[in-house]
Amino acid sequence: MGSLRAFPHEVAMRKSITFFLLAFSLSSCLAYAQEPLKLQESAPDRYIVQQGDTLWGIATKFLKDPWRWQDIWRLNREQISDPQRIIPGTVIVLDRKATPPRLTITETVKLSPRVRVEPVAAEAIASIPANVIEPFLSQPLVIEENGLEKAPRIVGTEESRVHLGAGGVAYALGIGKSGEPLWQVFRPGRPLVDPDGGKTLGYEATYLGMARVTLQGEPSTLQIVTARQEISQGDRLVPAGPAVINRYAPHPPASFLKGRIIALYTGLTTGEGGKDSIVSINKGRRDGLEMGNVLAILRAGASIPDPQSTLAPDRAPSIRLPDERYGLAFVFRVFDSVSYALIMESARPVAPGDIVQSP
């Protein structure tokens, strides 16, 4: 049987459809890029940065869409990952006469006297509250199956206690003469399963706390410094390393992206969360997601039977209701196939399976 050949009018039709789709896509992108900045009605003309401020918090003072930080500051792609260094005392001025409006820094004022206990470089404010995401800042959370098997492990506890909290003493094999003073304690966690295809994207390691080596050897002696959950025999140790503070400016993904929430961190797969909850997302670096991306959160619209149909509800034509947008999430940790985000705004409970997409 010979190869199939398209008729000329079919070829022309396909070209027309392709051109239409490309034009529609381009016009949508241009419309998004040209959408004017929307200032908050209460946006101040001048703001002095305070201790504890974050880039996100400052953005919400000026913008209705805080992910458009790069637009109001006129940041290019390189500056997004290293925005202007804003420290407590920085004076930010809103230029309303510019088109579009823009923010500038005019000076830095001295706040109330205090004893300096850290270098000036460490004072630049973070993107989002660092204390909320502390265990996520220095160590990976997504590992391969059995990825912690070769990590140092706790083999015993003081007085053979079943569980340890802050101040408890543990004994571990595998630390030897590493020289690392601080270790994070993890426990192998649940698989991260893609809600869209059922594929396992990785395994989540549950952060339990921090331990300090008090005596090196085999086994080494450690004291539990902090404990978010009870620590037990068999738990694994990973060198703490320096924390990496996220100072990426809030910004939307470079191209349209849509994914789903896998789960709430340390929560049940069927649990719900809200503002300041941490969620895992089934998109990562290979999908174009990066630190600082802001995603909208939506609940998928339900399908209901057509109320005007004369057929029984289970046989009537269905009508799919529109997805409902109800929140925003800030991506702060990115792996190949999975990312973690902090819920910044939420008008309803956040649930696994909810949609995340470019805002």
Side-chain angles (χ1 to χ4, degrees), residues 151-153 171-180 183 212-213 215-222 237:
R153 59 191 170 91
Y171 307 98
L173 288 176
I175 292 178
K177 298 180 180 180
S178 67
E180 294 286 347
W183 294 77
R212 183 187 301 277
V213 175
L215 181 64
Q216 284 191 337
E218 285 294 338
S220 295
T221 303
L222 303 97
L237 301 168

Side-chain angles (χ1 to χ4, degrees), residues 154-158 164 168-172 211 214 220-224 231:
I154 294 176
V155 295
T157 60
E158 184 182 37
L164 292 177
V169 175
Y171 307 98
T214 57
S220 295
T221 303
L222 303 97
Q223 183 172 42
I224 307 302
I231 295 170

